[in-house]
Structures are given as structure tokens and as C-alpha cells.
Amino acid sequence: MEITNIEDTKYKQIYVDTTIRCNMKCANCYASKRTSPDITTEYFEEVCKRLPHKVAFRLLGGEPTLSENLFEIIKIAHKYHHLPLIVTNGKKLIDIDYCSELKKAGYCGVAISLDGGIENDDIYNIIQGEPCLDFKLKAIKNLVEVGIRRIGICAIILRGINDDFIIEHLLRLKDRYPKYIRYMHLRTLAPFGKYIKSSKLYTFQEMSELLGKYIDISKGAKRPQFEECVQCGGCDRFSIDSFEYSIISFGNLACKIRGQLLPNFELAPFFEYMKLQNEGKI
Amino acid sequence: MINKIKKILKFIRKPDIAIDENTALGDIGYDSLDQLEAVIELEDKFDVSLPDDIFSNVKTVKDLTNEIKNIRNSN
């Protein structure tokens, strides 16, 4: 695995484990074996200072809203013109005061996972092991209410579990808040860490075909996320009527744009790091 | 409005060129993340939701200003 120093990095999208603590016990979790301490604001600020170019930070964990430093981390990212986005289960966002504080911290995209859809808790009970529907819908309502304009709705496509309804549900939800829900992100299961092994993994092609049953992908304006993307075939991103769709084969080792922040001001290829860590090799 | 937009465009990345209303957005030297940051700042400043690809759909600073006005009016 090629480790690079922050100063020399070419990664444009950097994944940051703000905390490894989590308030859920999902059946699918590639980060279940992590043991690192919460990231400090001092370390994060030094990272921001040393980066040679603007990056998109993906703030995750664990559950990033459990980090006591999250708002400060967002402010620091802004100070250095980086673009933060949190990837959250949404549980903490039922507190509208928390959402207001998030908004006050400055721009931050919010990607919220909705693997069980928007109608009932049947699938959430299987995947997340608890009912989630109420808090996820409340979280989105709160984000809209406080004026967070860049909400992403995300799901892992699970064969035989949610693949027969999830895209239709997400499309309906997008139409509920058209000025706020700005993108839909679909991914395959990562075959690392904890995951539902009985659900045969979707391939990228299958996922693309599944999405194509609901929208006319040929109308999409292709928008590779970064100029540096080598088009490895592991993800696709396009917009239709200014709404953005992205699909990703999660765990694609050929990806050259996603890096994982490590201690000691170093970065690793995101998916390779994830794989080796779950194999106990690092 | 156009002055506020010019100020935001300069804030995102100090351009090598002077920015006026006829400046082509392509000449400012933004990459995709600069464009996204600009869109986010513009949304915040003018309290409006803008498409991420707005920079691909307009040519000059003046066109961008008009597009934002149109979107605001349609809301």
C-alpha cells in the first residue's frame, strides 16, 4: 500500500474518521474494527495547512455527529477553503438545535443513509437492527428547516433485501425537498468488515442497470468529480435536471482520487486501507 | 449584485486576471472544487439553490449574474 505525505498528496477527496464511536450497530459496517482516538482540531488544522490543494473532506467515522469537535472541524476546513461533507446515520439530527449549530458552523454537505427506504421499518430492522424511519425523516426535515441546502440521500444496494424498492423510494424523497436534496448516492456493499454475506454483491454494471430502470441515464450529463479522475470504471456521476446521481462500486482498489487520512500527516488509498485493515494486516 | 459575485469569485481563488462582467468564467482558472465552492458561496449569499453545473451552463460573469437572477425570480 502506497502511503504518501500530506504535502505530496494527489488525493482530491479525503476521508477523515472524526471519531470511531458510533450510536448504531449496523449489519454492514466496514469500520467496525477501527480503534483510533477522535481526531483533534489541532491535528486537523495542521492537515489543512499542509495540504497542497483544495480537497473535498468526507467526515465520517464511526458516526461523525458524535465527535465533539465536528463543528470546529467544519470551521477549520472552511478557513482553508476545503469542502466538508458529513456522512451520517442521521440519528443526532432529530435535535433541531444541533442542526442549527451545524448550519452555523458554515457550509457542510450532509449525506444521510437511507438503506431501508421511506415507508416502514422492515428493512431497517434487518440492516440496522433497529427502527430508523422516524428519525431519518425527521433528520431531513430538520436539515431543510434550518436551511442546509446540500443534502445527499444515500443507500447501499442489497440484493434481495432492498433492491426492489430503494431507488423508487429515494426518488420520491428527492421530490419532497427539491431545493435541498441535491444528490442521490448509491453504492454496492463493501465486502470488508461486517456485512450481510447472504446478499450477493451487486456489480457496478448491475447497479447501473438497476438505476436505469427508474431514470433515463442516457440523458445524464457526465460529471466526473475531479479532473484527476482516471475513469477506472468503479464509479459514475452524472446530473439530470441539475440533480446529481452517483453510483460507486465500493471497495474498488483502482480508485486514485480517494484517500484516507492517517495519523502522522499521512494518507493511504481509501479502499486499499479499508481492505487491509479489515484483514488485520495493518 | 454583480459586484458581490465578483467579490465571491475573487475570494474562492485569487485569479491571475482582473474580473469584470465580461470575464469568461473559463478564464478564471477554477477547477471542479473551486466551482463547487463558488456555487456554495453564491447560494449562501443570495439565499437560493443553484445547480452544481451552473458554471458549465454560462459563459461570463454577466451571464452568471443573469442566471442567478432568473433562478431567484423563478422561486
Side-chain angles (χ1 to χ4, degrees), chain A residues 123-271:
Chain A
I123 302 302
Y124 287 116
N125 284 330
I126 295 170
I127 303 173
Q128 272 73 33
E130 61 180 286
C132 301
L133 182 64
D134 286 351
F135 78 72
K136 287 185 185 281
L137 295 181
K138 176 76 174 165
I140 291 173
K141 190 167 176 282
N142 283 348
L143 291 171
V144 170
E145 204 164 313
V146 302
I148 291 181
R149 290 181 188 278
R150 288 175 174 272
I151 303 169
I153 48 178
C154 314
I156 302 173
I157 305 290
L158 294 158
R159 195 186 304 273
I161 297 176
N162 67 0
D163 56 347
D164 59 337
F165 69 85
I166 191 66
I167 295 174
E168 189 264 330
H169 279 211
L170 296 188
L171 288 169
R172 262 197 282 148
L173 184 59
K174 133 186 153 27
D175 291 339
R176 238 183 248 180
Y177 304 108
K179 293 188 176 68
Y180 296 87
I181 295 180
R182 309 290 291 278
Y183 74 94
M184 178 191 295
H185 177 73
L186 305 172
R187 73 168 175 91
T188 60
L189 194 60
F192 311 130
K194 278 198 311 181
Y195 64 99
I196 300 174
K197 294 185 174 64
S198 59
S199 176
K200 189 185 165 210
L201 298 185
Y202 258 84
T203 65
F204 178 78
Q205 183 61 31
E206 285 175 326
M207 195 165 54
S208 183
E209 286 166 9
L210 184 67
L211 180 59
K213 289 181 184 171
Y214 297 89
I215 60 167
D216 185 354
I217 293 179
S218 68
K219 285 187 181 165
K222 292 270 183 186
R223 290 184 12 90
Q225 195 159 13
F226 307 107
E227 291 79 1
E228 294 79 359
C229 181
V230 295
Q231 306 285 317
C232 67
C235 66
D236 197 7
R237 185 169 177 259
F238 55 90
S239 63
I240 299 176
D241 297 332
S242 297
F243 186 82
E244 189 173 299
Y245 298 85
S246 70
I247 51 177
I248 179 166
S249 172
F250 211 69
N252 178 20
L253 300 178
C255 177
K256 301 288 182 205
I257 59 164
R258 295 176 173 86
Q260 167 78 37
L261 180 64
L262 304 177
N264 303 320
F265 304 103
E266 291 177 328
L267 291 157
F270 177 60
F271 292 124

Side-chain angles (χ1 to χ4, degrees), chain A residues 12 54-56 78 81 83 103 107 149-150 179-180 182 221 223-227 237 239 242 244, chain B residues 11-13 30-34 36-37 39-41 43-44 47-53 56 75:
Chain A
K12 297 299 283 285
K54 186 175 294 189
V55 302
H78 280 283
H81 286 267
L83 299 172
K103 169 74 176 169
Y107 163 75
R149 290 181 188 278
R150 288 175 174 272
K179 293 188 176 68
Y180 296 87
R182 309 290 291 278
R223 290 184 12 90
Q225 195 159 13
F226 307 107
E227 291 79 1
R237 185 169 177 259
S239 63
S242 297
E244 189 173 299
Chain B
F11 166 76
I12 301 303
R13 180 191 289 272
Y30 281 178
D31 66 11
S32 56
L33 283 179
D34 292 326
L36 181 57
E37 188 184 5
V39 172
I40 289 161
E41 291 290 336
E43 286 185 332
D44 196 42
D47 194 24
V48 66
S49 294
L50 303 173
D52 284 359
D53 53 3
S56 312
N75 288 341

Side-chain angles (χ1 to χ4, degrees), chain A residues 264-278:
Chain A
N264 303 320
F265 304 103
E266 291 177 328
L267 291 157
F270 177 60
F271 292 124
E272 197 175 348
Y273 174 81
M274 185 199 296
K275 180 174 185 286
L276 293 176
Q277 190 181 52
N278 279 298

